[in-house]
Amino acid sequence: MTSSRATRAEVCAAAVADCFGGDGETLANPIGTIPMVGGRLARATTEPDLMMTDGEAALIADHEAFAWPDGPTVEAWNPYRRMFDVVWSGRRHVMMGATQVDRYGNQNIGALGPDPRRPQVALLGFRGAPGNTINDTTSYWVPNHSPKVFVAEVDLVCGIGYDRAAALGPVAARFHETRRVVSNLGVFDFETPDHHMRLRSVHPGVTVDEVVAVTGFELARPDEVPESRSPSEDELRLLREVIDPEGRREREVPDPG
Amino acid sequence: MADKAMGFDDVVGRLRSGMTIGIGGWGSRRKPMALVRAILRSDLDDLTVVSYGGPDVGMLCAAGKVRRLVFAFVSLDSIPLEPHFRNARESGSIECTELDEGMVLLGLQAAAWRVPFLPSRVGLGSDLFRVNPELRTVRSPYPSRDLEGVDGEELVAVPALALDAALCHLNRADARGNAQFLGPDPYFDDLMLEAADAGYVSCERIVDTSELAREGCVHTLRVNRLFVDGVVEAPNGAHPTSCDPDYGRDEAFQKDYAASGKNAEAWEGFRAEWLDLDEAAYQEQLARR
């Protein structure tokens, strides 16, 4: 089983895991199914010191993503209020969703339409996005890449991107880092001179033209766009047998075949 | 010795239209829904509601009780977007003060400590300043520890969220107003009560003070009577939200509730069936469901 080709969801999970590379003893807070799977994969391989939540009020030491046959091993109490202590001290890397994300990494989860005080579509609200992005490293997960999500400018800036950080200046924005965006089609970063979003890699089976066609702004890109890496044999075994044996990842991003 | 035990109508009788009311719990978790239902039955309106919002916010909006909502999010957890909250925002029937969820904490803490604001980095650069033109920054009078030579760093002055009243639901309480959470998370209930001129707690069971320490360890005694003016015994009073470990969320009921956001007729049907009756009748009907 583990020798077979990696599915799209598994490539996404490996890309998510790579986002947490080098984070060390940080609270990795991946929100969503594949972010959770990818975060656990990072902890089970290259980043053993990451801390992760059970989605409620505890930090869990076990590597398994969703099932703890003998009950979870709790290593710390982390009620909602405690999360602000972690976030504001700069010890978290969150991977949030984004209803819209733009070319400088601004994120919107609050409202769609030109007037956010009378939204055409009301969403969740700002939630913790302003505090996350001004204090900590942030990445985003987009399971369904489309020009409605990847927009030139978001309708409402909840999580701040690099143009907003630059306008604040180096003092106010010194803890801001938007590291990566992982979608079902590719991996994106902001490692360009003006931090304009760059196509970092395309997932196996996806062409650059396909990504360009469903992105609502011009992406920076190298002359040769690399292919996203496939998980190793060992990572595939972890994903399939330990972290997500029920295959939840495949329901979030079905394999195109 | 003060006995603060009272009924739902006593609490409602102490509230006034136009008040700013904080509601405890978080999302669709341990919400003081029996007290919210009592407000829904009353003629109170024009309220400013501060909440880590769930169905409390949705029901109060749908019933036309809310003039202004102070929030960072409103969610039913297992149903990410609250339908009545969305309807209220999209129709423009409520005014909104939008905040980051950490700013809600700081605003309540500032009110509790009787200071006009608390400084924070949270909100800098975001559109919170676009939707809240009254939001201000403040310049630090001190040097920044991690930056040499930087004086006067600019921070957000998160305004105090002073409440006229707070409503919370806890697992246990005594009649004097000491209250206890037995689930894994206190949420922000103690802060809500401390930020309020008057605090009202409903609970699953009123017990003797001596019972509290037997129900859970000392850390669970998060709310004390200095901050509580009334205690209401309300078994299953957080329904349909969760009240761990006494009971979980009633997902089937919540689904029916969410469906009532479809149109005015669906809401009127839900309201007639579940909200136009007193708490005892509500619980009896629920038991037959």
Side-chain angles (χ1 to χ4, degrees), chain A residues 98-101 112 144-151 154-155 214-216:
Chain A
T99 307
Q100 294 179 323
V101 61
L112 297 179
N144 196 359
H145 195 126
S146 91
K148 283 187 177 163
V149 181
F150 285 77
V151 295
V154 296
D155 292 340
V214 291
T215 302

Side-chain angles (χ1 to χ4, degrees), chain A residues 56 81 122 127 164 174, chain B residues 29 86 90 146 187 190:
Chain A
E56 296 287 332
R81 188 183 311 194
R127 246 211 100 166
R164 292 296 183 103
R174 63 192 183 278
Chain B
R29 303 169 193 214
R86 297 186 79 179
E90 291 170 10
D146 60 320
Y187 309 118
D190 50 333

